[in-house]
Amino acid sequence: MAVPIEVRALTVEEVDVGSAAGFEEFARAAQQRLYRTAYLLCGDAETARDLTQTTLAKLYQHWRRAGAAEHPHAYAKKVLTRTFLAERRRGLRDLLALTRTGGTVPGPAADHTDLRVTLLAALAELPPRARAMVVLRYWDDQSVASVAALLGCGEATVKSQCSRSLARLRVRLADAGLSLSER
């Protein structure tokens, strides 16, 4: 009689980073978490997929170093965040060039009927670095110190930017007749 074998996906912590297949295992285990963070950062599913894939491609190129890191997922999140911020800076330069040449800029969607849609739209209005701080601090539940280390800034900067950003989000939600509970 055959004994049933339990098959389950590996978690990020269980990946054998020293093996030849370590990157593939890591990518399978981390892809969904990276995508969720990417989606919260950019607010668009297609862009989040691209950002996740770009992050995984960069990790693959430097897997020897990334796989040897004490916390490969934290390393991946740092790559994701820095890639997002770099693409936003590049996009801002392109936007400024477009407006200088007389091009038109598309406006944001106007339908905000529930908290999720309104919150995502309000997040999109934050500057990229402030949005990254809020997502990492409150969505990913990271400490002030880890967010500061990840973004290469001081803890006081993280605290003040998060405070200002949360105030802006509360105002935006209040304007829509919704509220963000105090943490």
Side-chain angles (χ1 to χ4, degrees):
M1 182 153 96
V3 176
I5 299 174
E6 181 181 331
V7 178
R8 65 179 178 81
L10 293 174
T11 64
V12 174
E13 293 77 21
E14 296 173 320
V15 171
D16 178 16
V17 294
S19 74
F23 175 76
E24 287 182 37
E25 292 173 9
F26 176 82
R28 264 189 236 105
Q31 186 173 13
Q32 192 169 19
R33 282 175 65 182
L34 290 172
Y35 172 78
R36 281 194 306 260
T37 301
Y39 183 79
L40 288 169
L41 288 172
C42 61
D44 175 60
E46 191 64 35
T47 305
R49 278 191 288 276
D50 291 345
L51 184 57
T52 303
Q53 291 304 312
T54 301
T55 299
L56 290 173
K58 287 180 177 184
L59 284 172
Y60 180 74
Q61 288 176 336
H62 304 284
W63 182 243
R64 180 170 289 180
R65 187 175 354 142
E70 188 174 336
H71 301 287
H73 188 72
Y75 190 98
K77 196 163 285 195
K78 188 172 199 171
V79 171
L80 175 83
T81 305
R82 289 185 173 177
T83 302
F84 165 74
L85 292 172
E87 287 180 1
R88 288 298 168 169
R89 283 190 296 271
R90 195 173 16 248
L92 182 59
R93 283 194 304 268
D94 294 344
L95 181 62
L96 290 173
L98 178 66
T99 56
R100 274 187 241 127
T101 60
T104 60
V105 179
D111 184 32
H112 306 292
T113 56
D114 66 345
L115 179 62
R116 179 183 168 93
V117 172
T118 305
L119 185 56
L120 288 173
L123 270 174
E125 292 174 2
L126 293 175
R129 191 169 173 90
R131 185 177 335 140
M133 287 180 190
V134 169
V135 169
L136 293 171
R137 178 76 179 100
Y138 298 103
W139 177 263
D140 282 349
D141 201 27
Q142 293 189 22
S143 68
V144 171
S146 66
V147 173
L150 188 67
L151 295 176
C153 63
E155 291 183 25
T157 302
V158 173
K159 290 177 184 178
S160 64
Q161 286 294 314
C162 284
S163 177
R164 288 184 195 123
S165 297
L166 287 176
R168 287 178 66 182
L169 291 174
R170 284 187 183 99
V171 167
R172 181 75 158 83
L173 292 173
D175 290 347
L178 302 166
S179 70
L180 183 62
S181 63
E182 291 289 331
R183 217 168 174 210

